[in-house]
Amino acid sequence: MLVHLQGPWTPLIGRLALNQIPYDNPVIVGAFIFSVAAAAVFAGGVTYTGRWEYLWRNWLTTVDHKKIGIMYILVGMVMLFRGFIDAAMIRTQQVMAVGPESAGHLGALHGYMPPYHFDQVYSAHGAIMLLFAVTPILVGLMNIIVPLQIGARDMAYPYLNAIGLWLTTVGAALVMLSLFLGDFSHAGWVGLTPLTELPYSPGVGVDYWIWAIQISSVGTTLGAINLIATIVKMRAPGMIWSRLPVFTWTAMATNIIGLTAFPVLAATLFLLTLDRYLGTHFFTAGMGGNIMLYTDLFWVWGHPEVYFLVLPAFGILSEIIPTFSEKPLFGYTAMVFASLIIAGASWMVWLHHFFTMGAGPLVNAYFSIATMLVGIPTGVKVFNWAFTMYRARMRFDTPMLWAVGALFLLLIGGLTGMMLAVPAIDFQVHNSVFVIAHFHSMVLLIAFAIMGAISYWFPKVFGFKLDERLGKRVFWYWVAGSIMVFVPMYTLGFMGMTRRLDYISHPSWLPLIALEEIGIGLYWVALYYQVKQIYVSVRDRRKYRAGPDAWWTTRSLEWMTHSPVPFYNFAVTPVVHARDEWAWRKEQGLTSLRPDRYQDIHMPKNTPVPLILGALSFALGFGLVWRIWWLSALSITAIVIALILRSFDSDTDYVIPAAEVERMERQGSGVSGTTDTGHFPAGHAAGKRRFRAARPQDQ
Amino acid sequence: MGLPKIKIADLDTGAPWNNGHRTIDVAASGTTVLWDSSHHEHDAISTRTFGFWLYMLSDAMILAALFTAYAVLRHNYAGAPTAAQIVHPGYAFRETLLVFSSVFAFGLTMSALKQGSRAGVINGIVVSFLIGAAFLGMEFHEFSGLISQGITPERSGFLSAYYAMVLVHGLHMVFGLLWMAVMVVQIMRQGFTDNVVYRLLNLKIFWQFQAVIWVCVFTVVYL
Amino acid sequence: MTPEDLAFQRAPAPSARSLGVNRTLRHGQNFRPAGLALLGCALLTGCSTHSLSLFHPKGPIAATELHLMIIDVAIMLGIIIPTTLLVTWFLWRYRASTGRGPYDPNWSHSTAIEVVVWSVPLMVVAVLGYYSYKGVYEVNPYHPTVIAHRADGAPIEVDVIATDWQWLFIYPKQHIATIDELVIPAHTRVQFHLTSAAVTNSFFIPELVGQIYVMPGMPTEQAMLVSDPGTYRGFSAALSGPGFSWMQFQTRAVTERKFARWVAHLQGLPRHLTFSAFDQLARPTINVHQTPQYYSHVQSGLFDHVIEEVRMGKVFTTPMAMTAHM
């Protein structure tokens, strides 16, 4: 061994030992039984219906950007659920562990989790929610929507796209595995140094954290390359930059951030890895290391990462609000520039995460003002959405509710963000639950946008809508839950409550903490209705069937093909004439989806290589976490060999003849009601209004 | 009946930031062209090379982070040998000459590719490979010497950064050599297919990038 | 076995002090309200600002920080409230179902509005930027201008060393030291030098002074002035491992005379703090009840010695048993 390790190590199984399985902890055993049961039900269902081959052929080996996007979102949803359970556990621990008289259970002094276990839960909550829930969901959405919005057949590199998906999945799988074998990092999702150094984190937890993030961030970087190249190189004729839908613009901005920021994280984690595995001194306190170097480098990635998440959310709002306002987005140009300015400014503000480090006043003042400057384009965005609603005809379908909710969250998050941008204020609330409440306002904004996006684009991807009544119920319970959790949390911040407390010495805080627990209960209700909504909608999918233009007032290119979208996206590549092409075509009465002539389509072939690479990366991650050197060396060799072998395969594409495309289109049109595109179903309220609106006296 | 081919350039005219609603494109037949029936393929080589440039940008960010770490830690000797004691600019200058020669040889390979000379390309790659391997040999000699004197990376922040900086560049070189070996086999088996050509072009970008990084390493670390 | 034993039995030397009976922290023993009383309590808490410690500063630095917060919020509300009202009004007026606003399906640009929406945030940022810049100097930990001119007489110097997971306060001039209790004279400038023997913490006394990181291998500084004698809660605000939640200390601001008496009392105590004694006390310890410890005859140069040792690579390793399966 290269460094001194506490605990046993053998060449064959590294640090693995039976006592690394926490079978004595009923919480983890329960989670394990639940996971195994869920996996068994899934596997049993697939076996019973005889769909293993379907699963392999249509999903596991696919390179179709829509299916990859769906799988990204599924991974994200599973992890979102896990992250929510973690949140519920945090809240429950805190409500149980208030005051010196509070009882302890399961070996804890107070509450039901000892400090080290509790620390892992919130570290996992943060890492999961940001990197394994919200990031995959947003990447999935961009994967599905961006190629459609620019009229492309697929992403620029479909094979690379699949690799990105499986690497992200491996990261998520490693986090899940840490629950049942060994432990997860206890040092917060940011991995504070020198706490993450080997002497202070002697177990495998930090190693799990490092490798899960490292492997998935490779996937995210590859995804960023892919999306930028797709937007730059794959646009349909006529899709000039000034006609690019705003969601695609934000995808562009966000992936420029991803492409440049994630490598910094990779390098930073790599150096931390060297510290933990080889005993170097990059981020140690002694021997010439520099602990704040880690903090700087981490936030040089970490802050752009925040905007990496929020920009697609802004893009989603910019799609939903015009659709349900029945008019174009106000100030398109300003919106685009605001997105790019935010992306650029995200690089100049990282130090505001540690104003309390003791930097000089000029440094703090610079980063304070730079941080505030980000508020300008963000404020402009708020006003532009507001003026999109001016002289509109707003319908409050579920996606619009989420969008409006996100708008109000942005106002709250903006207010508190401007407080935190002032160092003198930050000295008082840094690391307090006030900060937690602030950034949860912002990530809830992202979550609201995601929920809106899912209900908005669901009919496009699956061909039927989600139940509106239940969807609205989910929304209102989310809102109520958020108010109940975060209003008390802001208040507790003013009382001086620090984040990450596993024990709370102030009995007087109990009532507010109890309110937060009630809020968690409301989220559970929302979750129940969410599951019910999906169940009901899938069950009655014929009733909820949607045509290509599912919301009747949509504007961009993705609504100009069938729902669900055929695997080749557009039978013939559309020619773009206007900024909101579909709205323009509807105005001109050019709503037929049938081209005059079909043509051959080139498509990439399915391949199992990305899945194999994923499996090997998992073995690599596992070997490195447990320091099983032979396994690590074997997996990395196998990865290199697999990549080289694949590069010799020149038979990666195939052609669908024009006649076959035409046959599929005609068949498909019978199913998804192609020909009535753009026309409102007879008697639909919105349709009547729209035609009335077209009369001159209404304008 | 096929419609006349529509030129993308035609659509791009007009004020780029107007609201777009007024731009209506009318084909020769007098009707609006809604679907692009012309059979246009995206240029695979250009798309892939663009993606590789993006990858190079991300790699540059990794190295930028490492250079930052080096700059912060460069004077943190913690009692261990200092830069002046272990760095030999003359030796590193000879390494620099090797890097440049290897890149030059690869440049000749690219002109051979333009002439479609399979033997020329293979010879060029083999020469670049050998010079690159010689560079790695010198680097191996340098670091095995340090380690045998007990000057190991865990002795100080500076040594950690020094090893990481130089060896991460070395790792890139190893990857480049592996890539060259694979390309030789691919050229022999497949000839100059689109795939082989774009990979050679990307390898050229990659190999020149290594030289640029080495110049930075040489300047920052060895001088 | 008590739960305490279970949780901390593997900690090295859980000395009597860390498991002692001193339970003085609490105010309000009746904290176990039955179900329904809970909500009422919450409303009460909402109504009184008594427990909102950030709103009751007891020193000029905390007061300045609160003052800036109020200015910031007031300015921001000046823009947030009208925006909220505007959005709400639009939502009401232009709703499709029964809204009465006119419908203009192509209206999407207005240069006048664009100018306003860019310039209003810009002006707000300019004003807030001015206050932020001013505030940075007023509460600069190394030289807070709000108390610089108030320093009459020599300041009391306190060296603060964070260990895993206790606070050691050294009074270098008086050669005394305490653990988890900070006693200072009111109305006197207090000058802190801070460092850590293990990992990073954040030194924070909400009612008196804002945070400053306490980092291993390097010193930071903080200064403060207490205007009202009293007892204030101080704690670490940055995660430092399993004992973090218990890393608290009492700050007692007393009169000049009482302080002198207290110092004299401590100087008479038999327990000395040498470099090697520090190595004993700095081993990972969770002081569950923040039981104070007092030392006399502190070996001079201890603060610099700790920094130097850390820089030379000394670590107080967290034993595996304190982490795994706890």
Side-chain angles (χ1 to χ4, degrees), chain A residues 676-695:
Chain A
D676 71 343
T677 79
H679 296 285
F680 291 89
H684 186 272
K688 280 188 195 152
R689 253 198 337 276
R690 188 173 183 281
F691 291 124
R692 205 178 55 227
R695 288 207 307 271

Side-chain angles (χ1 to χ4, degrees), chain A residues 142-159:
Chain A
M142 291 189 281
N143 241 300
I144 296 172
I145 301 304
V146 165
L148 291 172
Q149 280 197 335
I150 60 173
R153 288 243 180 276
D154 205 318
M155 300 278 272
Y157 322 110
Y159 163 67

Side-chain angles (χ1 to χ4, degrees), chain A residues 207-359:
Chain A
D207 302 327
Y208 264 120
W209 171 81
I210 287 177
W211 292 111
I213 294 179
Q214 190 70 289
I215 291 172
S216 73
S217 75
V218 172
T220 310
T221 313
L222 295 180
I225 292 175
N226 212 340
L227 271 157
I228 295 173
T230 304
I231 296 170
V232 172
K233 289 284 185 185
M234 309 290 278
R235 282 169 292 138
M239 181 56 86
I240 52 177
W241 290 105
S242 62
R243 292 176 185 161
L244 211 56
V246 173
F247 179 70
T248 300
W249 264 119
T250 56
M252 182 77 182
T254 229
N255 282 296
I256 291 172
I257 296 176
L259 177 71
T260 45
F262 273 89
V264 177
L265 174 71
T268 311
L269 289 179
F270 170 67
L271 298 183
L272 183 62
T273 309
L274 293 181
D275 274 7
R276 284 182 65 85
Y277 283 72
L278 298 178
T280 56
H281 293 283
F282 288 100
F283 308 132
T284 54
M287 303 291 281
N290 188 323
I291 55 172
M292 292 320 283
L293 175 63
Y294 173 86
T295 316
D296 273 294
L297 285 175
F298 183 88
W299 286 114
V300 164
W301 162 77
H303 199 85
E305 157 72 4
V306 176
Y307 293 134
F308 177 85
L309 300 178
V310 89
L311 279 173
F314 287 168
I316 290 163
L317 302 187
S318 303
E319 296 291 328
I320 293 177
I321 291 175
T323 292
F324 293 96
S325 298
E326 296 188 35
K327 65 196 273 289
L329 184 69
F330 177 85
Y332 170 92
T333 313
M335 277 312 219
V336 170
F337 277 114
S339 301
L340 296 175
I341 292 171
I342 291 175
S346 72
W347 282 89
M348 301 187 290
V349 300
W350 77 89
L351 193 129
H352 72 216
H353 292 271
F354 44 101
F355 278 142
T356 52
M357 168 178 73

Side-chain angles (χ1 to χ4, degrees), chain B residues 27-71:
Chain B
S29 61
T31 55
T32 310
V33 178
L34 295 178
W35 308 96
D36 181 22
S37 302
S38 62
H39 198 82
H40 74 96
E41 283 291 306
H42 292 281
D43 177 0
I45 291 182
S46 122
T47 304
R48 284 169 184 267
T49 307
F50 179 73
F52 195 75
W53 275 110
L54 293 177
Y55 160 73
M56 294 309 333
L57 177 59
S58 76
D59 202 15
M61 291 304 297
I62 291 185
L63 291 155
L66 288 178
F67 274 112
T68 308
Y70 183 82

Side-chain angles (χ1 to χ4, degrees), chain B residues 107-119:
Chain B
L108 295 180
T109 312
M110 286 291 111
S111 23
L113 177 67
K114 268 184 198 148
Q115 288 148 16
S117 155
R118 195 183 283 210

Side-chain angles (χ1 to χ4, degrees), chain B residues 141-191:
Chain B
H141 175 74
E142 182 190 351
F143 280 93
S144 58
L146 285 179
I147 290 170
S148 67
Q149 294 170 55
I151 305 173
T152 49
E154 67 267 28
R155 285 188 56 192
S156 75
F158 158 70
L159 283 171
S160 302
Y162 175 71
Y163 271 76
M165 191 69 254
V166 178
L167 291 183
V168 164
H169 173 263
L171 210 60
H172 278 83
M173 297 285 285
V174 171
F175 180 72
L177 294 189
L178 187 66
W179 191 349
M180 287 182 189
V182 171
M183 287 322 296
V184 168
V185 179
Q186 274 189 0
I187 293 167
M188 294 202 296
R189 288 180 58 144
Q190 301 177 350

Side-chain angles (χ1 to χ4, degrees), chain A residues 89-121:
Chain A
M89 286 175 74
I90 296 167
R91 296 264 53 84
T92 308
Q93 165 75 13
Q94 287 202 334
V95 81
M96 285 170 76
V98 182
E101 309 293 333
S102 57
H105 308 279
L106 304 175
L109 189 59
H110 300 279
Y112 69 103
M113 283 188 282
Y116 197 74
H117 187 184
F118 178 76
D119 294 353
Q120 291 174 48
V121 173

